[in-house]
Amino acid sequence: MAELTAAPTPSAIAAGDQSGDTGGGARGSGSGGGLRRLAAAAPWLLPAVILIAGVVLYPAYLMIYNAFRKYSKYGFDQGAAGWDNFKLALTFPGVPIGRILINTVVWVVVVVAGTLLISLALAQFLNKTFRGRKLVRLAVIVPWAASVVMTSSIFLNALNPNYGLATRLLRSIGLLGQDTALTQQPMTAFWVAVVVAIFVSLPFTTYTLLAGLQAVPHDVLEAAHVDGAGSAAIYRRIVLPILRPAIAVAALVNIINVFNSLPILQILNQTAGYNEGLTTTPLVFLYKNNLGPGVSSALSVINFGFCLVIIAIYLIVVKPTKQQ
């Protein structure tokens, strides 16, 4: 007699379908699934990729390519140059390259450190509740609305030795000699540029740190006060660790911006030619005008590497994203 086979129950059918779907999903989650997801995302990613390739990667490639080519003063390609452009960029007669490299390090370190310290104090003040806080916050962000060229030009006119209001004030209180012109001497112009660079960097940095302060839990601060912790200990042990990501963002953005800041140094340093008040960034443009694109591209490559070294030292020494 033939053996009867029981019909499958609905629950068994559902379980079989579910296991089949799971197996198919597992098979589909391999390389084929990844490629399909990439193809689906490609239309959204492609504009950003094209923009990065056109604005960042191609100019970087062109800079490195030109650094190893010999060009005339007027830009005509005269063949391969090897490392000659780099040697000429660092040994060109009349260029105080040692002083300029020191200026570059001082420029970045002093401006970024000064900006962070002042912005920490400003952010802490603006985080308090007081009458007129909105107006004060607006006043802090106003310099950010003006262009760097405009701000530098205002300082240049204010420090003009003949009619500058700031020059007259400093002379009237005895802080400046009658024959002293701050922007017409290389090193004094350099330090004026440092002050201006800190001034124009404050709005972004202050608001970045202020946003970080908004994330500090008030109940944690109140609990620390109840436990008897002082203000300095609370700030050092609670507030600063929470601010580490915001400080990291502000510091890295400022290092890049300050390192490549040309208008401030170009406008405020009124000494013509190669002088001891320069940094490597304006020197690139002097080389471009006087020696052609090959030597200026070589110095740009050195400048880029210099910037990466400073960022690497900051990340290694400070460890801004380290969890505590």
Side-chain angles (χ1 to χ4, degrees):
M1 187 175 214
E3 193 174 321
L4 297 176
T5 304
T9 62
S11 60
I13 295 174
D17 290 343
Q18 185 175 3
S19 63
D21 292 343
T22 304
R27 289 189 296 270
S29 63
S31 60
L35 290 175
R36 284 195 297 270
R37 287 194 296 269
L38 181 61
W44 305 97
L45 296 175
L46 193 58
V49 172
I50 293 174
L51 182 65
I52 292 172
V55 176
V56 179
L57 297 181
Y58 176 71
Y61 159 76
L62 197 61
M63 176 185 70
I64 296 172
Y65 174 80
N66 288 338
F68 292 94
R69 305 295 295 179
K70 183 179 180 181
Y71 289 92
S72 69
K73 181 180 177 180
Y74 302 101
F76 294 103
D77 192 343
Q78 298 176 337
W83 294 94
D84 291 344
N85 289 331
F86 291 87
K87 295 177 183 177
L88 186 59
L90 296 175
T91 60
F92 188 70
V95 178
I97 192 66
R99 178 75 255 180
I100 290 174
L101 292 176
I102 293 173
N103 285 351
T104 304
V105 176
V106 172
W107 167 256
V108 175
V109 172
V110 173
V111 172
V112 174
T115 300
L116 285 175
L117 290 175
I118 298 174
S119 296
L120 276 172
L122 280 173
Q124 192 68 33
F125 171 69
L126 294 176
N127 198 40
K128 303 291 183 182
T129 302
F130 57 89
R131 184 176 297 178
R133 183 175 67 172
K134 290 183 179 179
L135 292 176
V136 177
R137 286 183 174 183
L138 181 62
V140 170
I141 206 172
V142 164
W144 204 11
S147 69
V148 176
V149 173
M150 183 187 301
T151 304
S152 301
S153 299
I154 291 172
F155 275 88
L156 177 65
N157 288 309
L159 293 171
N160 185 281
N162 298 320
Y163 55 80
L165 295 179
T167 299
R168 292 186 179 184
L169 175 63
L170 293 173
R171 286 174 178 172
S172 64
I173 60 179
L175 294 179
L176 193 65
Q178 293 299 320
D179 298 327
T180 304
L182 293 177
T183 58
Q184 294 179 4
Q185 300 175 11
M187 288 312 299
T188 56
F190 172 79
W191 287 107
V192 169
V194 168
V195 173
V196 176
I198 293 174
F199 176 76
V200 300
S201 303
L202 286 178
F204 165 78
T205 310
T206 299
Y207 271 81
T208 302
L209 299 180
L210 181 60
L213 284 174
Q214 303 291 322
V216 178
H218 290 285
D219 54 348
V220 175
L221 299 179
E222 292 175 0
H225 277 296
V226 171
D227 290 340
S231 300
I234 291 175
Y235 194 79
R236 187 177 68 255
R237 297 179 180 275
I238 298 176
V239 177
L240 279 181
I242 295 176
L243 277 179
R244 286 178 78 95
I247 293 174
V249 171
L252 291 175
V253 171
N254 274 304
I255 288 173
I256 295 171
N257 285 341
V258 171
F259 202 97
N260 297 303
S261 181
L262 175 69
I264 298 175
L265 291 161
Q266 194 86 341
I267 291 173
L268 292 174
N269 188 346
Q270 295 187 290
T271 304
Y274 309 114
N275 59 79
E276 60 180 9
L278 296 175
T279 65
T280 52
T281 301
L283 184 61
V284 168
F285 288 85
L286 286 175
Y287 277 170
K288 181 178 181 297
N289 294 330
N290 298 329
L291 301 176
V295 180
S296 64
S297 295
L299 185 61
S300 296
V301 172
I302 296 172
N303 212 24
F304 179 67
F306 206 9
C307 182
L308 291 181
V309 168
I310 291 178
I311 292 175
I313 292 174
Y314 167 76
L315 294 176
I316 293 171
V317 175
V318 179
K319 297 182 177 64
T321 58
K322 180 182 177 181
Q323 299 294 328
Q324 290 191 350

